[in-house]
Amino acid sequence: SSDVRFHRSVICSVAAMTYGRAQEIIDDANDNSELAKDLRIMRSVTRKLRERRTEAGALTLASPEVRFELDSETHDPISVAMYELKETNAMVE
């Protein structure tokens, strides 16, 4: 028997931000706003869920992501860098 249940839900977002911005808010020890507190709770839940999945045998697959900087006129690549994954990237799994 399974204890998994599905429910209809509505997400009420209070902020739209990049992964980088969300990580900055989490990492700023001086930020005690409600948003920062909520993000830190989400991070904690994410860590616990990831730990459970790993203990249950889940694989962690990650492939590097590359970012190109393009010339504004020719659109030719002028540099390349690895995209840095942040902990906030995993919060939306």
Side-chain angles (χ1 to χ4, degrees):
S1 101
S2 174
D3 62 350
V4 175
R5 291 184 251 167
F6 295 92
H7 300 274
R8 290 180 187 250
S9 63
V10 176
I11 297 172
C12 298
S13 178
V14 296
M17 64 192 79
T18 64
Y19 293 120
R21 179 65 186 128
Q23 192 68 55
E24 288 171 4
I25 293 170
I26 289 170
D27 293 342
D28 182 354
N30 295 315
D31 188 343
N32 292 313
S33 67
E34 287 302 312
L35 178 59
K37 291 175 186 177
D38 288 345
L39 287 171
R40 290 181 189 118
I41 290 169
M42 288 175 57
R43 178 185 59 185
S44 176
V45 170
T46 298
R47 286 176 176 173
K48 288 176 185 171
L49 291 173
R50 189 179 318 117
E51 183 180 334
R52 281 189 201 163
R53 286 195 309 264
T54 302
E55 288 172 356
L59 295 175
T60 301
L61 303 174
S63 56
E65 188 173 325
V66 179
R67 296 288 173 147
F68 292 94
E69 182 181 352
L70 304 178
D71 182 279
S72 61
E73 293 180 15
T74 66
H75 301 291
D76 290 334
I78 56 176
S79 72
V80 64
M82 298 300 291
Y83 177 74
E84 180 186 347
L85 287 176
K86 299 171 180 16
E87 191 172 20
T88 49
N89 291 86
M91 289 170 54
V92 295
E93 290 180 344

